[in-house]
Amino acid sequence: MPQDRLTLGVAARLSRYLQVLTQAKKMGKVSISSQAISEYTNVNPTQIRRDLSGFGKFGKRGVGYDIDMLIAQIRKILRTSGQHNIALFGAGNLGLAIASSGVFVDHGFRISAIFDVDPDKVGQRVGDLTVRHYSDLPQVVAEDGIMVGVMAVPSHAAQMVADDLVASGVKIIFNYSDALLTVPSDVTVHTSSPAVELLYALYFYLT
């Protein structure tokens, strides 16, 4: 595997391929073609084959890609093999939906802690976890080796949570609010906005 850092474009496309492969495996499929991956990602099949061939020969002409093998290889390329602990902030409707979905588990991420400040939520059980008070953040980050903070909090609270995550050593923040976060240059923030995704899709539909 090349040791150089992937370009953002390649990393983004590989992540999309991995999402399709994971879902295809859950549907019982054992192989998939570049054309099928293209239909789910809107990435040209030639580009898909070019992306993957840069790391080895994974597919067979007329057969396609072995899904289990390609999932393992892409995870290795993205350096996400194994399990990574994440902390979820916010035990409201959105937070509970995130906690109960398999979106992170499917890709090797484990929600190891859920935080809130609402006394009515703290102490509640969410699956195998108990909602913890926000003040426990530094201790949990250190003990569980938290790599990612997922924020499902109101916009007015987002910057405070981001600041506390950064102070505790977390370098990756996944932001479900619409707040514009200010963080140090060595911290990565990804903001997930259904409205932005919809605008993007609408633009291509209308043009």
Side-chain angles (χ1 to χ4, degrees), residues 107-174:
H107 297 287
F109 294 96
R110 170 180 173 265
I111 297 177
S112 63
I114 303 175
F115 297 94
D116 209 296
V117 295
D118 186 341
D120 291 333
K121 294 184 174 66
V122 174
Q124 287 187 357
R125 295 289 294 177
V126 178
D128 296 331
L129 297 173
T130 298
V131 178
R132 304 186 64 154
H133 192 274
Y134 182 73
S135 60
D136 292 340
L137 186 160
Q139 174 189 347
V140 174
V141 168
E143 291 179 351
D144 291 2
I146 299 295
M147 295 186 63
V148 182
V150 178
M151 304 196 319
V153 299
S155 296
H156 65 81
Q159 185 63 58
M160 179 194 73
V161 176
D163 290 343
D164 289 341
L165 283 169
V166 171
S168 297
V170 174
K171 298 296 185 181
I172 303 172
I173 297 173
F174 204 93

Side-chain angles (χ1 to χ4, degrees), residues 48-118:
I48 293 171
R49 291 191 292 271
R50 184 181 299 121
D51 286 339
L52 297 176
S53 65
F55 301 96
K57 295 183 178 180
F58 301 131
K60 294 182 180 179
R61 185 179 297 275
V63 177
Y65 299 99
D66 178 279
I67 289 177
D68 281 337
M69 182 274 291
L70 193 53
I71 286 175
Q73 291 297 327
I74 292 179
R75 284 181 173 169
K76 185 182 298 184
I77 293 166
L78 293 175
R79 304 177 187 180
T80 57
S81 299
Q83 182 171 281
H84 308 284
N85 289 339
I86 67 178
L88 173 63
F89 296 85
N93 291 335
L94 177 57
L96 294 179
I98 294 170
S100 62
S101 74
V103 64
F104 291 115
V105 175
D106 287 343
H107 297 287
F109 294 96
R110 170 180 173 265
I111 297 177
S112 63
I114 303 175
F115 297 94
D116 209 296
V117 295
D118 186 341

